Amino acid sequence: NAAGSSNFTVRVTHTNDCSATRAYTLSMDCPVINVTTASLADGIVPNTYNATLAAGGGSAPYTWALASGSLPAGLNLSSAGVISGTPATVGTSTFTVRATDNNNCAGTKSLPLRICPVIDVLPLTLPVPTVGTAYNQTITAGGGTAPYSFSVSSGSLPAGLSLSSAGAITGTPASTASATFTVQAADSTLCYGSRPYTLIPVCPAITISPSSLANGL
């Protein structure tokens, strides 16, 4: 249950009380301890952050520590493998974590952790489109590093409308069906922000003429 080298001597004695001895050295190697966490999710200033590291190949439980480097300012690593705290600065930190198993065997892995700024997607709400009428609305973003690229991360736009990577919603609505969707903005460093929207196209004003009918005879 422990790695290391042991020296010992074996004595064999037969029934006539004659004996012989031989010295041995026995080395016990550790298994390969793998830190199985492939990557860490981005953090956002000033949102709280929480991520749990995982390891395998040894005998649980594992004790965690930093082997080299440092976590982003505001974060810490617990002995249970939890990275938590409130990040204070934007940027990427690369550090090495060490997982030590119950038999004192250890494995390490280098991990990067990026802290992004809050990326705000605007406007808060979109103008109501009219069925059969050309629509044009621009989505903007701020807080990150320009330029930004826009996409629909969930849901779908009303039939007849589309979103360009530059943030322009254009087209001609084809029905009054309600549409709920989320627009995601990625800055040049691939930090993300998003905003959900709901659009319900309305019918155009329909005029019936004449306003009245003449009496018949």
Side-chain angles (χ1 to χ4, degrees), residues 38-68:
S39 61
L40 293 170
D42 293 343
I44 298 176
V45 174
N47 298 348
T48 57
Y49 186 85
N50 191 292
T52 301
L53 301 173
S59 177
Y62 296 90
T63 301
W64 296 84
L66 280 178
S68 64

Side-chain angles (χ1 to χ4, degrees), residues 9-82:
T9 299
V10 173
R11 175 184 292 111
V12 58
T13 304
H14 68 35
T15 56
N16 295 328
D17 205 29
C18 294
S19 64
T21 61
R22 184 177 295 275
Y24 292 100
T25 297
L26 182 58
S27 297
M28 304 299 292
D29 293 328
C30 280
V32 176
I33 307 295
N34 292 312
V35 176
T36 56
T37 300
S39 61
L40 293 170
D42 293 343
I44 298 176
V45 174
N47 298 348
T48 57
Y49 186 85
N50 191 292
T52 301
L53 301 173
S59 177
Y62 296 90
T63 301
W64 296 84
L66 280 178
S68 64
S70 58
L71 293 168
L75 301 184
N76 61 78
L77 171 64
S78 74
S79 61
V82 178

Side-chain angles (χ1 to χ4, degrees), residues 91-216:
T92 299
S93 298
T94 300
F95 49 90
T96 300
V97 294
R98 177 187 294 110
T100 304
D101 79 350
N102 199 40
N103 295 324
N104 207 35
C105 294
T108 61
K109 187 171 186 177
S110 178
L111 292 168
L113 176 53
R114 182 174 60 172
I115 304 300
C116 290
V118 174
I119 294 179
D120 199 19
V121 177
L122 296 171
L124 300 179
T125 60
L126 295 172
V128 176
T130 300
V131 173
T133 301
Y135 186 82
N136 192 314
Q137 174 65 40
T138 300
I139 306 294
T140 63
T145 303
Y148 297 89
S149 178
F150 297 86
S151 63
V152 176
S153 60
S154 66
S156 58
L157 293 166
L161 299 184
S162 62
L163 172 68
S164 74
S165 61
I169 298 177
T170 58
T172 301
S175 78
T176 58
S178 174
T180 297
F181 56 95
T182 298
V183 173
Q184 177 176 270
D187 78 352
S188 62
T189 68
L190 295 184
C191 286
Y192 297 91
S194 63
R195 186 175 297 279
Y197 293 104
T198 296
L199 280 179
I200 306 175
V202 297
C203 288
I206 298 174
T207 301
I208 299 176
S209 297
S211 58
S212 63
L213 296 174
N215 293 331

